[in-house]
Amino acid sequence: MERGEEFMAAGPGPEGSLVMLWAGEDAALHSSLVEELEAAGIPFVDRPTGDDRVPPSADILPLDWKTQFGFEVAVPSSKVAAAEKILEKLLDEEPADMEIAANDSLQPAEVKPSHLGTTSCAVWSGADGKRAGFLSEALKENEIPVRVETRGSETTLYVPPEEEMLAREIIREIVEGAPPA
């Protein structure tokens, strides 16, 4: 038998008619409320929101004003005052801290990808800083590691030896405005 099923009658029972105590989507509050009501010996009906046991309408596009997820908790009218005190106490409590504490020992210190140390092939050199930035971003977008060095007004782009051919082709396409050969 489901929890609270004995109180599903539509008419008034021995303890009065059912009164909606709380409805919502907060699973933690729902769980706490149900536990507190059980501990206090207050009978209740607990069911999912929208569980009205009404057959679906013939409307192919029904507009349902009720939420599709959530909980409804009802209590007998004779127990409403005690149940409301429990609910108010739970609503006044600070939410449980669900934040996961940071573990500094697991956070890596500024890790540089190992392939950046091997960016030793110069693929472009020039005095135009804007063009160097654009070319660098184009190479990164193509997942080619790039190292940019500026000495005076001269900027040089370096890539790993295994990416040199592709990097030169991309740079040629950009600089000359020509599609791949």
Side-chain angles (χ1 to χ4, degrees):
M1 179 165 23
E2 245 182 78
R3 176 173 38 183
E5 193 171 303
E6 63 272 14
F7 298 104
M8 294 297 277
E15 296 190 40
S17 60
L18 287 175
V19 175
M20 181 66 67
L21 174 66
W22 176 82
E25 297 178 356
D26 186 341
L29 177 61
H30 170 257
S31 177
S32 297
L33 177 60
V34 168
E35 288 174 11
E36 293 288 329
L37 289 173
E38 283 178 346
I42 298 174
F44 60 92
V45 174
D46 174 27
R47 64 182 187 183
T49 298
D51 186 21
D52 295 336
R53 294 182 182 25
V54 176
S57 69
D59 187 0
I60 59 170
L61 294 172
L63 296 175
D64 192 7
W65 56 270
K66 284 189 169 186
T67 59
Q68 297 299 311
F69 171 78
F71 310 97
E72 296 176 342
V73 178
V75 296
S77 58
S78 63
K79 303 288 185 176
V80 168
E84 283 179 342
K85 285 181 184 175
I86 290 172
L87 179 59
E88 286 177 26
K89 180 186 81 153
L90 291 173
L91 291 172
D92 288 340
E93 288 178 0
E94 287 292 319
D97 185 13
M98 301 300 281
E99 186 176 318
I100 298 173
N103 187 346
D104 292 335
S105 64
L106 296 178
Q107 301 211 359
E110 186 93 23
V111 177
K112 289 187 177 180
S114 60
H115 59 266
L116 284 183
T118 62
T119 52
S120 57
C121 293
V123 290
W124 183 86
S125 235
D128 187 352
K130 286 185 180 181
R131 179 170 277 195
F134 184 81
L135 294 173
S136 170
E137 289 304 313
L139 293 174
K140 288 177 187 175
E141 192 169 305
N142 285 281
E143 298 180 7
I144 298 174
V146 62
R147 179 170 48 101
V148 180
E149 279 189 14
T150 305
R151 292 199 176 107
S153 64
E154 188 79 12
T155 302
T156 306
L157 302 180
Y158 296 92
V159 298
E162 64 272 12
E163 302 287 356
E164 181 182 10
M165 296 278 292
L166 179 58
R168 286 189 186 279
E169 182 62 24
I170 291 170
I171 290 170
R172 185 188 68 74
E173 288 176 28
I174 294 170
V175 172
E176 295 176 7

